[in-house]
Amino acid sequence: MKNPFETPERAAFRETVRRFVETEVKPYADEWDEAGEIPWELHEKVGALGAFGFGVSEKYGGLGFDDCFMRAAVSEEFAQCGANGIPAAFGGRGISIGPLEKLASDDIKDAVLADIVAGRKGSSLAITEPSGGSDVARLKTTAKRDGNHYVINGSKTFITGGMKSDYFVVGARTGEEGLAGISLFFVEKDTPGFSRTDIGRKMGWWASDTATLYFDDCRVPAENLMGDENLGFIQIMHNFNYERLAMIAGALGMMKVCFDESVCWARERETFGRPMIKSQVIRHKLADMSAKIDRTEAYLNHICWQANEGEMPVAEICKGKFSATKALEFCASEAMQILGGAGYLRGNLVERVYREVKVQAIGGGSEEIMRDLAVRQMGL
Ligand SMILES: Cc1cc2nc3c(=O)[nH]c(=O)nc-3n(C[C@H](O)[C@H](O)[C@H](O)COP(=O)(O)OP(=O)(O)OC[C@H]3O[C@@H](n4cnc5c(N)ncnc54)[C@H](O)[C@@H]3O)c2cc1C
């Protein structure tokens, strides 16, 4: 579908990412999926592409500018490898670099940001707790001021990249109950009182590690407070917008995989004496998939344009996320039906997409929470 916002720079950037995914990722995607990890060199190669540099100053190896169309292109093109656990494996960085750049002290940024942006070190965002992820305002982990330190106690779970990351952005309660008592902290993996365990096997995102983090009297210097005390909730919500935008784009990329694989198979496969693509039932499935892809793409482009204009269209992002994940669910299911038994074989592109559907619908704000937030943002 033609993108009215395309520019030569955006087209060239997308082409570079596409070629990278085609040659450096796709051929190994199934192998890495089965191994449950990606080689660390991939983090560095993706860093060299500039994919972690949006909104980050050139001083830290960033791009020195932001562009939501380019951000979306990275997520969409990486999703073409089917196994979305591969981009998720460096996704912890994607959701923690923004708060680090915006809120961390200059000393912390000077010490860590260049390594993170280059892919040499990993970073993760730790908000979700064992008691729940949807209701961020009720998080229980505490950070109590003690002289020149804060002492953090509590735990976080489902943290992407959590086993391999060196650095963490952690949400903790510094004040009253509710959203007005939450702050963000920078925590390093070697800080005494910090430990982590691997969550283990998951339905999808196989190549990405997911951890539970523990904070037992974990003392961090007071300058590790990121931004103003008790104003962390707003920052967390702002950051979610970029994560959700990336997840819409990832869903779009996977939908396109489903469509392309379906067309390819339906052309090749003969049933009842003719190629399946001649069957009206199959053609209708393809029409429905294509319409959902076009709608998602047009909506995503509109959101990117608004975000680039300096607006943060929260209601549209929420509506975009849940409608994209529902559309992905549809496309993955229809593609599996079109491929039949072949689609059900482990490692097949459609099989890999199928197992990524639910994490898109739950992570970064579930479909239910997205609907709720959308109507609240609409003043209802
Ligand atoms: C693979 C993976 C990676 C993740 N990575 C990270 C990460 O890096 N950092 C991080 O902080 N978090 C991460 N998460 C956590 C994710 O953001 C949460 O799973 C998500 O926000 C939902 O929280 P929950 O799982 O605790 O579900 P809950 O909040 O317990 O909710 C359970 C279910 O009930 C629904 N629900 C809740 N309340 C209502 C209601 N009032 N009405 C109707 N339905 C409701 C929710 O939509 C959800 O489907 C990750 C999760 C996964 C699965």
Side-chain angles (χ1 to χ4, degrees):
M1 195 180 168
K2 194 166 164 46
N3 176 1
F5 306 106
E6 192 72 302
T7 62
E9 293 76 19
R10 286 178 187 144
F13 181 75
R14 181 185 285 273
E15 191 50 35
T16 304
V17 179
R18 179 175 295 159
R19 256 190 265 122
F20 179 86
V21 172
E22 206 54 56
T23 56
E24 303 269 352
V25 183
K26 258 185 161 178
Y28 315 102
D30 186 40
E31 181 189 327
W32 293 339
D33 229 6
E34 292 291 344
E37 62 180 348
I38 58 170
W40 195 266
E41 303 90 80
L42 192 71
H43 291 255
E44 298 184 32
K45 286 182 182 172
V46 176
L49 277 180
F52 306 136
F54 295 108
V56 179
S57 150
E58 286 166 289
K59 182 178 162 195
Y60 304 116
L63 295 172
F65 67 89
D66 206 347
D67 182 82
C68 284
F69 291 101
M70 290 187 183
R71 280 181 185 255
V74 171
S75 300
E76 189 190 327
E77 295 304 327
F78 268 89
Q80 297 280 334
C81 71
N84 224 31
I86 292 170
F90 36 76
R93 224 184 251 105
I95 53 180
S96 54
I97 286 177
L100 278 169
E101 158 82 18
K102 203 165 152 215
L103 306 169
S105 69
D106 285 344
D107 283 351
I108 291 174
K109 286 201 277 194
D110 289 347
V112 306
L113 209 44
D115 277 343
I116 299 172
V117 171
R120 290 187 288 273
K121 301 273 178 156
S123 63
S124 295
L125 178 71
I127 304 297
T128 304
E129 303 192 342
S131 57
S134 302
D135 192 358
V136 175
R138 251 177 253 262
L139 61 78
K140 293 185 166 61
T141 297
T142 56
K144 295 227 155 57
R145 183 85 190 227
D146 180 23
N148 289 331
H149 288 81
Y150 281 91
V151 183
I152 306 177
N153 277 291
S155 56
K156 299 285 171 183
T157 196
F158 288 119
I159 306 310
T160 298
M163 290 309 292
K164 300 211 168 109
S165 286
D166 290 76
Y167 309 116
F168 295 86
V169 175
V170 179
R173 184 164 302 286
T174 40
E176 60 189 58
E177 289 297 302
L179 55 86
I182 294 169
S183 303
L184 289 173
F185 291 90
F186 171 72
V187 179
E188 299 189 55
K189 74 171 168 47
D190 296 325
T191 312
F194 172 83
S195 59
R196 52 189 169 180
T197 53
D198 192 352
I199 277 186
R201 299 197 308 160
K202 306 184 290 294
M203 180 183 190
W205 280 16
W206 290 357
S208 157
D209 68 291
T210 314
T212 298
L213 314 179
Y214 308 92
F215 303 86
D216 295 306
D217 286 336
C218 179
R219 291 175 76 83
V220 297
E223 53 267 30
N224 285 24
L225 171 70
M226 293 172 54
D228 293 326
E229 196 177 63
N230 296 329
L231 292 185
F233 184 81
I234 285 174
Q235 302 298 346
I236 294 168
M237 290 300 126
H238 179 74
N239 194 49
F240 265 138
N241 291 317
Y242 291 100
E243 178 176 3
R244 289 165 187 165
L245 197 144
M247 291 185 87
I248 298 170
L252 175 64
M254 286 188 278
M255 281 185 241
K256 288 183 177 178
V257 169
C258 291
F259 181 80
D260 292 347
E261 290 298 298
S262 298
V263 169
C264 196
W265 183 261
R267 279 200 174 120
E268 293 288 314
R269 188 75 164 176
E270 290 204 2
T271 57
F272 303 99
R274 58 181 189 162
M276 277 171 60
I277 198 142
K278 300 281 182 208
S279 149
Q280 195 178 42
V281 170
I282 300 297
R283 298 174 75 78
H284 283 191
K285 285 184 192 297
L286 294 174
D288 285 339
M289 289 163 78
S290 176
K292 285 180 196 295
I293 290 168
D294 287 353
R295 285 203 293 267
T296 306
E297 191 157 27
Y299 203 43
L300 175 63
N301 284 335
H302 188 76
I303 292 169
C304 288
W305 170 74
Q306 272 185 282
N308 275 4
E309 290 294 299
E311 298 166 39
M312 198 39 98
V314 179
E316 284 77 7
I317 290 173
C318 294
K319 287 187 273 187
K321 183 171 184 286
F322 76 73
S323 51
T325 55
K326 275 289 164 217
L328 171 62
E329 189 175 8
F330 175 88
C331 291
S333 177
E334 293 296 55
M336 184 69 85
Q337 285 306 116
I338 291 172
L339 267 73
Y344 192 69
L345 295 179
R346 181 148 149 178
N348 177 285
L349 261 174
V350 170
E351 181 269 338
R352 275 154 51 201
V353 169
Y354 197 88
R355 60 173 128 92
E356 307 298 9
V357 167
K358 276 296 168 189
V359 67
Q360 296 288 127
I362 294 168
S366 67
E367 287 178 354
E368 292 79 5
I369 300 306
M370 289 300 88
R371 287 190 176 91
D372 194 54
L373 183 53
V375 287
R376 272 192 283 134
Q377 287 286 320
M378 290 157 62
L380 303 172

